[in-house]
Amino acid sequence: MHRILVVEDSPIVRKIINHVMAGFPQFKPVYTTTLAETKALLESEAESIFAALVDLSLPDAPDGEVVDYVLNNHIPTIVLTGSFDKERREQLLAKGIVDYVTKEGRYSYQYALGVLARLVKNQKIKVMVVDDSATARNFVVGLLRLHLFEVYDADDGAEAIRVFIDNPDIKMIITDFNMPRMDGFELVQHMRRKYDKSDLIMIGLSSETDGTLSAKFIKNGANDFLRKPFNHEEFFCRVSHNMDFMEMFEALKDSANRDDHTGAYKLSHFNVQGDEMFERALASGTPLACAVIDLDDLSEIINEYGPEAGDVVMEQVSSFLVSSFERFLLARAGTELFYALMPGLDNAKATAFVERVRQIVGGKFIDLGGAEVSLSFSAGVSNVMGNNLSELVEHAHQSLLRARDAGGDLVIGDD
């Protein structure tokens, strides 16, 4: 839950914002109506505020003084105003506000909250800016950091490739056209040999007057193009729309890779992603733990209460497992069987983690329409890599068999 400071003296506007914000459950509004109230709140709670929606004119701050105060507390700020003033807008953007929104109806508030939602997502997104001009590069870097992206930079295409090799989870590259050693066209062409438009967003930039540059960038594989100089809103609309497209595509792809019944990944996805994780762990010398999890009592529950009860139990336990292993890779490998890969964990830490999950599952009771049942699982955990992913999984499976032989409801690691 992210706390959003809303500085607004109009009861009607507060009511509208409160209503619209109900559609954004990740936000909790905190309201103030004057500069004095805002100062009193932020003196003690500034660190707990994620971002702010700030009215430009207040009874005790008619000239936007509250905006300066909120920005001085290093809080990302969206300004709300009753009328558009181009000169004032430029002044506020220069101060470092996130956006400038006029109160022109319900959509204006939906847009502002959409920007806040984008800020939440941006914190986990890596972007690279490529430009041989330090001034131009730093300007774009500053804009992106204003919107909470994690930003890398490079001074030409060749340097960009080196940065990308060290940070392969970069999701967007914004590149100038005219650069030494490797220009923007060449960089786009090089990256497109391996990465599709849905895997890596590439946006071209140029100050040259050649009207064909945009078409050339797109034809070479860029997702989009912007001509310098560009305004603040145009830049972020293009960036946000491209990120929205990538996330929508990733969500569709992720859904296709998940088991409909449990929400865990399919075994086919586990094998593809697992092979990549195995190779990365092998190359870097970092630990990779595998867990094989088997639900102990599901067959007995189905025999006693019927297959529908089994479905209810499986759905609830699977949902908890998916949530618990969210930062790892979890897949359904059989009717009652799950595989998990946990990169970065040695055997002691991985075994302890799976054991904590087992204890929580064992303490849960599932309502089957009048009857309550509990469910346990057994698991084997291994970090013995072997020659491939299959051998790592097999070592974990052997530990699972030992846990079963010991009576179940148990996690056994390599020790």
Side-chain angles (χ1 to χ4, degrees):
M1 183 75 72
H2 299 275
R3 301 181 80 210
I4 305 299
L5 172 64
V6 181
V7 186
E8 175 58 65
D9 63 319
S10 166
I12 294 175
V13 173
R14 289 199 305 271
K15 185 176 181 179
I16 294 172
I17 292 175
N18 202 49
H19 180 73
V20 174
M21 198 171 286
F24 295 82
Q26 68 270 47
F27 296 142
K28 179 181 179 180
V30 180
Y31 292 99
T32 60
T33 60
T34 64
L35 175 58
E37 287 182 10
T38 304
K39 287 182 176 181
L41 175 75
L42 294 185
E43 281 175 3
S44 59
E45 300 183 41
E47 291 185 0
S48 70
I49 301 297
F50 173 72
L53 295 174
V54 178
D55 186 15
L56 192 56
S57 179
L58 298 174
D60 60 345
D63 295 317
E65 296 90 343
V66 68
V67 176
D68 294 324
Y69 185 80
V70 175
L71 287 173
N72 287 338
N73 279 274
H74 309 291
I75 297 172
T77 302
I78 296 175
V79 168
L80 300 174
T81 178
S83 61
F84 181 82
D85 183 320
K86 185 176 180 180
E87 183 177 347
R88 174 58 67 89
R89 168 188 165 278
E90 294 296 334
Q91 292 172 350
L92 290 167
L93 290 174
K95 289 180 179 182
I97 66 168
V98 171
D99 213 333
Y100 179 95
V101 180
T102 54
K103 304 172 185 176
E104 295 177 329
R106 180 187 178 88
Y107 180 76
S108 298
Y109 303 107
Q110 290 176 331
Y111 169 81
L113 288 167
V115 173
L116 294 179
R118 183 74 260 166
L119 291 181
V120 174
K121 297 177 182 179
N122 291 350
Q123 296 174 100
K124 298 180 179 180
I125 297 173
K126 294 182 178 181
V127 181
M128 177 162 52
V129 179
V130 190
D131 199 315
D132 60 323
S133 165
T135 300
R137 187 172 67 247
N138 291 336
F139 173 71
V140 178
V141 167
L143 287 179
L144 291 166
R145 286 181 176 157
L146 200 62
H147 279 237
L148 306 185
F149 287 101
E150 183 177 342
V151 190
Y152 298 79
D153 66 326
D155 56 16
D156 65 18
E159 177 65 18
I161 292 172
R162 284 195 289 272
V163 173
F164 191 87
I165 290 172
D166 293 335
N167 303 275
D169 53 346
I170 286 174
K171 293 293 186 183
M172 177 183 291
I173 296 177
I174 300 174
T175 178
D176 188 36
F177 162 54
N178 194 4
M179 299 181 294
R181 294 197 296 174
M182 179 183 283
D183 66 25
F185 287 164
E186 293 169 323
L187 175 60
V188 172
Q189 289 174 327
H190 178 88
M191 300 307 292
R192 285 292 175 247
R193 290 170 191 159
K194 185 174 181 180
Y195 301 97
D196 292 333
K197 287 186 175 182
S198 57
D199 299 321
L200 175 66
I201 295 167
M202 302 199 73
I203 299 176
L205 301 176
S206 181
S207 58
E208 296 192 12
T209 57
D210 184 353
T212 66
L213 275 179
S214 59
K216 289 179 181 177
F217 259 108
I218 301 299
K219 288 180 179 179
N220 277 279
N223 298 72
D224 211 337
F225 175 82
L226 272 170
R227 193 172 301 280
K228 302 177 186 176
F230 45 78
N231 66 48
H232 181 281
E233 285 93 341
E234 182 182 16
F235 177 76
F236 283 114
C237 281
R238 298 289 186 89
V239 168
S240 296
H241 287 169
N242 278 285
M243 286 308 313
D244 289 344
F245 167 78
M246 172 179 275
E247 289 165 356
M248 180 178 66
F249 187 86
E250 287 179 343
L252 289 171
K253 188 164 62 173
D254 184 76
S255 178
N257 287 325
R258 289 189 181 273
D259 175 63
D260 293 335
H261 189 51
T262 64
Y265 283 113
K266 296 175 182 177
L267 185 58
S268 57
H269 181 75
F270 176 89
N271 289 333
V272 172
Q273 294 298 312
D275 282 338
E276 294 180 4
M277 294 167 72
F278 184 92
E279 293 301 328
R280 285 198 297 268
L282 207 61
S284 62
T286 55
L288 176 64
C290 176
V292 179
I293 299 169
D294 181 48
L295 306 185
D296 290 329
D297 307 316
L298 186 61
S299 297
E300 287 78 1
I301 291 173
I302 292 173
N303 291 336
E304 183 171 352
Y305 298 100
E308 291 184 358
D311 290 342
V312 171
V313 172
M314 172 61 81
E315 287 172 4
Q316 293 196 28
V317 174
S318 297
S319 176
F320 178 75
L321 290 177
V322 169
S323 175
S324 299
F325 286 87
E326 184 178 14
R327 64 190 179 102
F328 302 122
L329 177 63
L330 178 79
R332 188 181 187 186
T335 304
E336 305 172 12
L337 203 64
F338 292 85
Y339 292 168
L341 283 179
M342 297 165 281
L345 298 190
D346 61 26
N347 197 251
K349 290 180 180 178
T351 303
F353 172 76
V354 178
E355 171 61 19
R356 286 197 298 274
V357 175
R358 184 197 66 81
Q359 291 175 5
I360 296 173
V361 168
K364 289 181 174 293
F365 288 89
I366 300 170
D367 186 0
L368 297 178
E372 283 191 337
V373 299
S374 62
L375 189 71
S376 64
F377 68 72
S378 303
V381 182
S382 182
N383 284 71
V384 180
M385 299 279 284
N387 297 311
N388 50 51
L389 178 64
S390 296
E391 291 188 13
L392 173 60
V393 173
E394 179 58 29
H395 281 110
H397 197 269
Q398 292 302 316
S399 293
L400 168 64
L401 294 178
R402 290 196 293 275
R404 285 177 179 167
D405 291 342
D409 196 12
L410 185 66
V411 179
I412 290 183
D414 289 330
D415 295 337

